Amino acid sequence: MSKRSIAMIMAHADDIELSAGATLAKYIAQGHAALYGVLSRCNSGWTVTEEKGGHYVPSREIVPRRRAEAEAAAARFGATLYYGDLLENCYTTRQGV
């Protein structure tokens, strides 16, 4: 019998663990191979900090941060990470981005 697989594919780097993480963990625990798919380039981000409150973070700063978060999440689940190439262009036109 071949190993069964599960694929979780969502738009943003944190969508899987926020909306389907328990399901992904359940199937991995049952022995399924897992794909953790992030469709976007991870080029957008709204960040909350004590000193600044909520604010948009420029793409050049947010991409490495969001990708590191996705890599850590996929590794924690024991899943193979895949990135898509969806450009989140609504965030590239904001002032200061």
Side-chain angles (χ1 to χ4, degrees), residues 24-83:
L24 181 60
K26 172 187 168 183
Y27 283 100
I28 290 171
Q30 292 175 0
H32 288 66
L35 171 74
Y36 183 105
V38 178
L39 291 179
S40 75
R41 294 181 186 180
C42 300
N43 66 300
S44 69
W46 175 260
T47 299
V48 178
T49 61
E50 280 186 41
E51 62 277 357
K52 293 185 178 180
H55 66 284
Y56 286 95
V57 178
S59 292
R60 67 185 171 280
E61 295 175 24
I62 203 67
V63 169
R65 187 185 315 179
R66 294 291 183 248
R67 287 199 169 209
E69 291 169 358
E71 290 163 12
R76 180 127 183 153
F77 281 113
T80 300
L81 177 62
Y82 170 81
Y83 289 113

